[in-house]
Amino acid sequence: IVILGNRPKYSMLRTIELAFRRRQPKRPRGVSIRVWEGDPAEEDDLTRISINTARFVVCLGESEDPRIADAQVVETLLSLQSLDPNYQMQSSTTVIAELRTDDTRNVVMEIDTKSKTDILAVLSGDAIDAALVQCALFPPVGSALIQLISFLGQNFIFLSVVDEFVDHTINEIFGRFPDAVLCGVHTQGDESNPE
């Protein structure tokens, strides 16, 4: 995991250390975390961390003000799109953009239509609300969501649709993944995960 942020390196490392201190195990096995100080909207900083080799990119806004945070995310997305062709991300890379206001979703969807990579816009408030509702109405489902969100040995994997799954409902496909939880279908340019 590579983290690029506008904060001093040791401040980011301290935040990570405090977050993992409360967890058991302290850090997922086999996961190394590298921290780079830099601006996610600067091409030089993005190329320095080899953004072109990433499988997943998560864009987060640092500001407490939701509109400023969304502007930071959009600025990073635009910087990712304007990279030199030698440093462009692979078409298989998924970019997850955390948004705090619904107004910004349309902007991100427009960027997604022009992008070679898949950009998934996630409204953080909606995700938290959905998890809370699941915890209240269906405690076992809520517990499973909390375990997924905690990322303790878990991972979201986006798979390309294979021919054998075409023209089948998601319920018909569930049985094909006995060791995984199928969360939904995401199509490029679609901001939601329909069932």
Side-chain angles (χ1 to χ4, degrees):
I1 297 173
V2 177
I3 298 172
L4 176 64
N6 281 323
R7 295 171 40 200
K9 179 178 181 177
Y10 294 105
S11 171
M12 290 186 282
L13 286 170
R14 180 73 178 145
T15 302
I16 293 166
E17 179 184 320
L18 290 172
F20 279 110
R21 181 179 289 166
R22 291 180 236 129
R23 296 180 167 217
Q24 291 299 326
K26 296 290 186 198
R27 188 179 284 189
R29 276 188 244 146
V31 174
S32 66
I33 299 174
R34 291 191 152 165
V35 177
W36 291 86
E37 187 176 344
D39 186 350
E42 287 293 323
E43 183 174 339
D44 291 341
D45 292 336
L46 291 170
T47 56
R48 184 168 43 114
I49 63 167
S50 301
I51 196 76
N52 58 324
T53 62
R55 287 189 306 153
F56 295 96
V57 175
V58 180
C59 298
L60 306 172
E62 293 185 64
S63 176
E64 303 236 350
D65 182 326
R67 295 202 180 278
I68 294 173
D70 283 1
Q72 291 169 333
V73 170
V74 169
E75 183 180 23
T76 300
L77 291 173
L78 291 172
S79 295
L80 289 170
Q81 303 312 310
S82 65
L83 287 171
D84 181 275
N86 295 329
Y87 297 104
Q88 288 281 326
M89 293 178 294
Q90 303 167 27
S91 60
S92 61
T93 301
T94 300
V95 178
I96 302 169
E98 180 213 22
L99 303 176
R100 300 196 196 158
T101 64
D102 195 39
D103 300 341
T104 314
R105 185 185 306 203
N106 293 333
V107 175
V108 172
M109 288 174 56
E110 186 63 30
I111 295 170
D112 185 30
T113 61
K114 311 267 191 273
S115 174
K116 294 178 185 172
T117 60
D118 189 19
I119 300 175
L120 176 62
V122 177
L123 285 167
S124 55
D126 288 356
I128 292 168
D129 290 347
L132 289 173
V133 168
Q134 290 295 332
C135 286
L137 297 176
F138 308 102
V141 174
S143 175
L145 281 172
I146 289 171
Q147 288 179 3
L148 279 172
I149 292 169
S150 71
F151 198 71
L152 295 176
Q154 310 301 324
N155 199 359
F156 278 100
I157 300 173
F158 291 88
L159 300 174
S160 299
V161 176
V162 292
D163 290 338
E164 66 182 284
F165 296 150
V166 174
D167 296 328
H168 292 282
T169 67
I170 197 166
N171 288 332
E172 295 171 335
I173 299 172
F174 273 122
R176 304 282 178 102
F177 297 92
D179 297 327
V181 176
L182 190 59
C183 295
V185 177
H186 173 73
T187 58
Q188 189 162 354
D190 180 12
E191 78 281 1
S192 64
N193 284 327
E195 187 170 45

